[in-house]
Amino acid sequence: MAGTANPTAASFEAGAHDNGGASEIKLVSQRQRAWRTFRSNRTAVIGLGMVVAIVLVGVFAPLIAPYAPNEQSTINRLAQPSASHWLGRDDYGRDILSRVIYGTRVALLVGILSVLLGGVFGTAIGVIAGYFRGKLDTVLMRLVDILLSFPDLITGLLVMAVLGAGLPKLIIAIALTITPRFARIAYGPTLAIKEKEFVEAAKALGQNNRRILTRHILPNVSGELIVLASLWTASAIRLEASLSFIGLGVKPPTATWGQMIRDGVTYLTDHPWFSLAPGIALLITVFAFNLVGDGLRDVLDPRSRS
Amino acid sequence: MQERKIEELVREASRKGLSRRQLIQRAAVLGISAPALTVAMTKMAPAALAQDRPTLRIAQNAADLASLDPHYAAGTQDRALVDMVFNGLVRFKPGDSTQIEPDLATAVPEPSDQGGKQVWTFTLRDNVQVHKTGKSDAYTLTADDVVFSFKKAADENTSAYAGDYQGITVAKVDDKTVTFTLDNPLSPTLFLPKVANYSGGYVVPQKAYEALGADAFKTAPAGTGPFKFDSYTPQNSVALVANDDYFRGQPKLAGIDYRYIEESSSRESALLSGDIDVINGLPEGQWVDKMNKSDGVKADVFGVGEAIWLEINVTAKPFDDAKVRQAIALALSRENHVALFGAPVGETIYSVVPAQLMPGGLTEEQAKKAGVIYEQNIDQAKQLLAEAGVKDGFEIKLVTSQMDDYRRNYEVLQDELGKIGLKIDLQVVQHAAMHELIRKGTNPLVIYVAFRPTADTYLTQFFTTEGGNTNFAHYSAIDDAVAKARTTTDADEQAKLWQDANTQILKDYAAYPFLIKNLVYARSNKVDYGHELKSIVQLYPGIDETTSISS
């Protein structure tokens, strides 16, 4: 019966194959069509390749990094790049390249987990408010409006100031800045979809609210949310770097790009790689996620597609 | 009166780079005609004309001033300005704070015994002029001002240094004479810094202070020093002008343009481009080398350095076990911490009281002889932990300031203790928050960075019960020794008592001294401070009437 949930399952496409002069109708799933559209976008594929490479660097950091990231040698601090330390050493004598590589882990962890957390909560708020309306809608969406009125960094700062530094707290702080974005994006389509015939039909068939929300509403708002998630992963990584830059990020001695950029600023003229290397890593990662996000938008966002 | 107005006007014009036309316009506003201005200017001695003298431009590592009331000034940026505007009864010799010489007083007195109490009598110089302010005229400093100033310094409502003046009664004998009567006798080493050009020892003139009011005085002070306050632009700069009535003679500079530039690379660029003459530098050996290789620029490294040490709470578990504290001492390496700053900025110390800077500290030789050097020995440290029943180590939660001096040393400590299985969970907080938290006892291990002018202050504040919440070690074993040293008037005997106290602290593993971090300033080669730079308690190169800039 869920088949009434209209466009989500599969569609027929006129097959272009010439099969001995006989034309055939080929069943193409939406997923396949989406992948085909995505693949046709060269920059998006490059972005995806970059994201995969970055994830591999993060996962296999212990195998790739030439040194332990926290191994100090203050006597050799600020050593210039050499054959043994390609990007030189930082102000504690630690290998900069190894710290940049390990920094990938924190960036990805924060980027992915905070978006996951913020995405789940934000979507739940938006969908529930849009579906149930009434006072609940008013309260939830005004709360969302209040949160949206703060710039991301300010929200992150406020939360970190209350919670204190540390990786889990950093993820929560960034998730909180993301939550209202997802809520707002999920809210609008929910308002429209709940009025559709297939939702009315589901109600008429006696389906409960939970089933309607999870089986009929959510699948139809998920496209935009996936696009948002990919774009916000990049923003979350950037926000993590910003919070670390101002000293509110992960606890020392964990290697994070933001903290490395901050520490290296003092030595920018004489030891540029100290700041530049994590800066470039950050740039590439944010760029890669943005490319993927743009590609996904082309595939999943109906307005963009039209 | 009009001549004085013209003189001030001409100096202002020079300092602000006014054209002759603008100068005449300003004179007209003050009711001075152009011919009268010209006549007066030709009568003025050439040296008095500001055109002959350059203005020194200094960039300080701060966002803004905090307080220019000398009895509240605590930050380096405030101490430096205050030192140019005020005097003490005696002063630390410019460039060498190990020596004391007369300042507002005609001589450095010897104490006398009057009715069983120690009395110090100071005779004031003649014709010391208090700066003119917008609300008070210039006048001759008298004993009333000195009495007022030291009463202000001793009042906790008007001074941050009130504690230093308890048990001291200051009284006027006549207009030129004041006495200080002490409840408990002090050696010259301990008494003279209290009346010198440092903290509560600066003399705040009564009439100027009362005319301006306490709040205004914090941003527009008036004293008797070689430079007078002129203007303050919040978060930007303070301008001082030469005090040509200064009792040591006319300054060689027209004034001081004191700018607040927090970012180190901006200060460096300003110096290298010639926009600034003197900057507060990076406390790093590499930076010093780099500056000294730059054309037309010289970096100066000098004392007084701030001592950096580790304090261990001897009452907190498991640090109440001496073996655990000994293990920590053996896990540490002074060289690791000194290397954070590099030579000559970082210098090793062997007691919390730095022997390089004051009597009462332990030299390397003395520490070796006393067996309190504690060279790094990881195996022995692990063995001691095993004997103490914590073979597998444990986790310690610590907070550190975001400031580099603290954070870096804590991170090196984290690395060092990690090697013997002690895991430090380090939280970085705002500087003020760290100070608040460590005073509440958050950290069983405290790294502290501080300069104090005497061994007594170091020991009392950080290692005796009297120190209260800054006795981070919760240590009491040297209470009696420090009290005894304080009232010992024989300098050698006093120094010996302080050395014994330092040795005891180290034998009990209540502290581990790392280094002193010297001061680093860089200047244009054209700047001559007028004295050598050895050690300066005011934490800047010392700028006075002898400082000059060659053309």
Side-chain angles (χ1 to χ4, degrees):
Chain A
M1 199 59 223
T4 47
N6 68 72
T8 55
S11 60
F12 291 103
E13 187 179 273
H17 298 278
D18 185 353
N19 188 8
S23 68
E24 68 171 22
I25 300 296
K26 190 186 173 199
L27 186 64
V28 179
S29 75
Q30 274 217 329
R31 200 172 293 166
Q32 284 173 311
R33 191 167 60 184
W35 173 236
R36 199 180 291 170
T37 313
F38 187 87
R39 266 192 325 185
S40 67
N41 184 338
R42 189 177 293 173
T43 52
V45 174
I46 292 171
L48 186 63
M50 287 162 71
V51 167
V52 170
I54 291 163
V55 170
L56 289 175
V57 168
V59 171
F60 296 107
L63 300 176
I64 301 167
Y67 299 93
N70 301 328
E71 191 180 308
Q72 294 184 0
S73 172
T74 54
I75 310 250
N76 296 305
R77 68 193 292 268
L78 298 172
Q80 294 290 357
S82 64
S84 53
H85 296 271
W86 292 359
L87 298 179
R89 292 172 180 260
D90 72 2
D91 52 344
Y92 294 88
R94 299 174 296 206
D95 182 58
I96 292 174
L97 176 61
S98 301
R99 288 183 69 75
V100 170
I101 290 170
Y102 271 87
T104 312
R105 290 182 151 195
V106 174
L108 291 177
L109 205 61
V110 171
I112 293 167
L113 285 184
S114 59
V115 167
L116 205 63
L117 202 62
V120 168
F121 274 106
T123 305
I125 290 169
V127 168
I128 288 169
Y131 183 74
F132 290 105
R133 304 299 310 269
K135 282 184 185 167
L136 186 66
D137 174 16
T138 310
V139 171
L140 287 175
M141 293 318 288
R142 291 305 76 77
L143 198 65
V144 164
D145 288 340
I146 291 169
L147 284 172
L148 279 172
S149 67
F150 290 98
D152 306 334
L153 191 59
I154 300 295
T155 312
L157 270 172
L158 286 172
V159 179
M160 290 304 284
V162 173
L163 298 179
L167 188 59
K169 291 162 188 170
L170 185 65
I171 291 169
I172 292 170
I174 297 175
L176 267 175
T177 68
I178 292 170
T179 300
R181 268 83 188 169
F182 276 86
R184 180 52 72 190
I185 293 295
Y187 179 72
T190 304
L191 286 178
I193 292 165
K194 71 172 283 197
E195 306 298 335
K196 298 275 185 191
E197 292 83 352
F198 63 90
V199 176
E200 293 295 327
K203 278 183 185 170
L205 286 170
Q207 290 187 6
N208 62 24
N209 288 332
R210 202 183 72 173
R211 187 173 172 85
I212 293 171
L213 281 172
T214 54
R215 303 295 292 272
H216 302 294
I217 306 279
L218 263 182
N220 282 291
V221 298
S222 61
E224 285 182 72
L225 295 174
I226 289 168
V227 174
L228 190 69
S230 62
L231 294 172
W232 263 95
T233 303
S235 299
I237 290 169
R238 200 164 35 78
L239 195 55
E240 180 275 318
S242 304
L243 288 169
S244 292
F245 184 83
I246 54 177
L248 285 173
V250 179
K251 289 179 185 177
T254 310
T256 73
W257 294 339
Q259 181 69 46
M260 288 182 76
I261 294 170
R262 169 200 158 116
D263 289 346
V265 163
T266 311
Y267 311 101
L268 203 55
T269 49
D270 304 311
H271 307 275
W273 287 111
F274 190 173
S275 270
L276 277 181
I280 291 169
L282 179 65
L283 180 83
I284 291 171
T285 307
V286 170
F287 183 61
F289 275 100
N290 277 330
L291 287 183
V292 172
D294 284 346
L296 285 174
R297 186 167 52 200
D298 290 345
V299 173
L300 299 170
D301 185 345
R303 282 166 300 188
S304 160
R305 205 159 48 217
S306 65
Chain B
M1 192 65 194
Q2 196 178 45
E3 278 189 12
R4 173 60 66 90
K5 272 186 183 174
I6 293 170
E7 195 176 321
E8 285 184 5
L9 188 63
V10 170
R11 285 199 195 98
E12 187 189 349
S14 167
R15 200 179 61 254
K16 295 181 177 172
L18 299 183
S19 65
R20 185 175 174 78
R21 188 193 185 91
Q22 287 170 314
L23 178 64
I24 290 169
Q25 281 172 348
R26 294 239 177 154
V29 171
L30 294 171
I32 303 163
S33 66
L37 179 69
T38 311
V39 170
M41 281 176 67
T42 51
K43 280 183 185 172
M44 287 164 72
L49 291 176
Q51 286 98 318
D52 294 343
R53 296 179 290 179
T55 294
L56 185 76
R57 300 157 302 174
I58 311 173
Q60 190 59 267
N61 177 17
D64 204 351
L65 62 78
S67 174
L68 298 183
D69 178 334
H71 300 165
Y72 282 101
T76 304
Q77 80 274 26
D78 293 343
R79 286 188 186 277
L81 269 173
V82 156
D83 187 59
M84 294 182 246
V85 176
F86 293 89
N87 295 94
L89 288 173
V90 295
R91 70 173 182 175
F92 294 100
K93 186 182 173 189
D96 183 3
S97 291
T98 58
Q99 296 185 50
I100 297 272
E101 59 183 30
D103 199 7
L104 293 173
T106 54
V108 178
E110 290 290 327
S112 62
D113 185 63
Q114 293 180 18
K117 290 202 168 178
Q118 190 186 53
V119 177
W120 298 75
T121 305
F122 292 86
T123 305
L124 300 180
R125 287 174 190 264
D126 291 329
N127 295 322
V128 173
Q129 288 296 300
V130 173
H131 303 159
K132 181 179 182 296
T133 74
K135 291 189 174 174
S136 61
D137 287 329
Y139 66 96
T140 305
L141 187 91
T142 68
D144 288 323
D145 293 292
V146 177
V147 172
F148 166 81
S149 182
F150 281 96
K151 283 185 175 171
K152 174 182 176 299
D155 183 348
E156 62 181 19
N157 295 314
T158 53
S159 165
Y161 304 105
D164 295 342
Y165 296 91
Q166 302 314 304
I168 298 176
T169 307
V170 56
K172 170 185 171 182
V173 176
D174 57 46
D175 273 356
K176 293 286 164 203
T177 315
V178 285
T179 56
F180 292 76
T181 306
L182 276 58
D183 291 350
N184 296 304
L186 290 175
S187 67
T189 310
L190 288 184
F191 177 73
L192 291 174
K194 293 179 191 289
V195 294
N197 54 341
Y198 186 74
S199 300
Y202 285 109
V203 173
V204 171
Q206 182 173 11
K207 287 177 195 166
Y209 181 82
E210 288 176 347
L212 288 164
D215 285 341
F217 204 78
K218 287 178 179 172
T219 54
T224 52
F227 296 97
K228 298 187 283 189
F229 174 83
D230 182 63
S231 64
Y232 163 52
T233 309
Q235 296 178 16
N236 186 341
S237 63
V238 169
L240 304 180
V241 291
N243 172 19
D244 287 336
D245 297 322
Y246 187 50
F247 59 83
R248 285 197 176 86
Q250 235 167 33
K252 292 179 178 175
L253 298 170
I256 307 290
D257 179 2
Y258 193 87
R259 299 185 203 166
Y260 299 105
I261 304 178
E262 246 189 322
E263 226 285 296
S264 61
S265 55
S266 301
R267 290 197 304 277
E268 185 184 318
S269 302
L271 177 71
L272 294 173
S273 65
D275 290 337
I276 291 284
D277 304 306
V278 175
I279 63 166
N280 184 313
L282 266 188
E284 307 220 353
Q286 288 192 13
W287 189 84
V288 171
D289 291 342
K290 183 181 117 182
M291 282 292 108
N292 285 333
K293 284 174 189 162
S294 303
D295 287 340
V297 170
K298 171 148 181 25
D300 297 300
V301 180
F302 54 98
V304 296
E306 290 184 295
I308 303 177
W309 72 91
L310 172 73
E311 220 163 304
I312 307 172
N313 184 343
V314 299
T315 61
K317 286 197 177 302
F319 307 101
D320 56 343
D321 185 333
K323 284 182 178 171
V324 174
R325 300 198 300 274
Q326 188 182 357
I328 289 173
L330 293 174
L332 307 178
S333 156
R334 283 181 182 82
E335 287 67 32
N336 285 344
H337 294 263
V338 172
L340 283 173
F341 303 93
V345 180
E347 271 185 76
T348 312
I349 54 173
Y350 299 93
S351 60
V352 172
V353 175
Q356 296 95 320
L357 300 178
M358 59 192 70
L362 297 174
T363 62
E364 182 177 9
E365 197 180 323
Q366 287 165 331
K368 248 182 203 162
K369 199 173 164 191
V372 291
I373 286 264
Y374 307 132
E375 300 288 356
Q376 190 179 46
N377 188 331
I378 301 295
D379 291 337
Q380 196 186 340
K382 284 181 177 171
Q383 176 63 33
L384 283 161
L385 286 181
E387 288 172 21
V390 283
K391 187 184 172 192
D392 297 329
F394 49 88
E395 187 175 297
I396 313 160
K397 288 196 172 189
L398 300 179
V399 295
T400 176
S401 159
Q402 88 282 15
M403 283 178 68
D404 284 345
D405 288 352
Y406 283 92
R407 191 170 64 89
R408 285 181 179 165
N409 278 291
Y410 269 107
E411 284 200 46
V412 172
L413 178 76
Q414 185 182 42
D415 185 63
E416 290 170 330
L417 296 191
K419 288 175 181 154
I420 61 166
L422 305 190
K423 187 171 180 282
I424 294 181
D425 178 2
L426 191 60
Q427 176 136 8
V428 183
V429 297
Q430 293 294 309
H431 189 62
M434 181 206 73
H435 278 289
E436 196 182 328
L437 288 167
I438 61 175
R439 279 162 178 74
K440 286 179 182 167
T442 312
N443 284 13
L445 307 179
V446 171
I447 288 179
Y448 211 77
V449 182
F451 167 75
R452 296 292 181 269
T454 64
D456 177 68
T457 326
Y458 269 114
L459 296 171
T460 304
Q461 191 172 345
F462 298 109
F463 295 98
T464 67
T465 313
E466 201 181 319
N469 61 7
T470 53
N471 176 9
F472 304 114
H474 294 251
Y475 191 62
S476 56
I478 60 164
D479 282 9
D480 294 341
V482 172
K484 188 180 171 191
R486 195 176 302 140
T487 54
T488 301
T489 51
D490 180 87
D492 291 339
E493 194 186 332
Q494 188 177 48
K496 175 76 172 58
L497 285 166
W498 284 330
Q499 284 176 342
D500 290 346
N502 272 306
T503 306
Q504 191 59 49
I505 291 168
L506 299 174
K507 280 187 172 168
D508 289 336
Y509 310 104
Y512 186 94
F514 293 127
L515 70 141
I516 49 169
K517 188 196 78 175
N518 284 311
L519 299 166
V520 178
Y521 278 78
R523 62 182 157 96
S524 155
N525 277 342
K526 293 175 183 172
V527 174
D528 178 0
Y529 293 121
H531 47 253
E532 275 187 67
L533 304 181
K534 288 182 182 170
S535 64
I536 303 175
V537 293
Q538 294 86 4
L539 310 175
Y540 83 121
I543 290 160
D544 56 24
E545 74 287 354
T546 63
T547 304
S548 62
I549 306 175
S550 58
S551 50

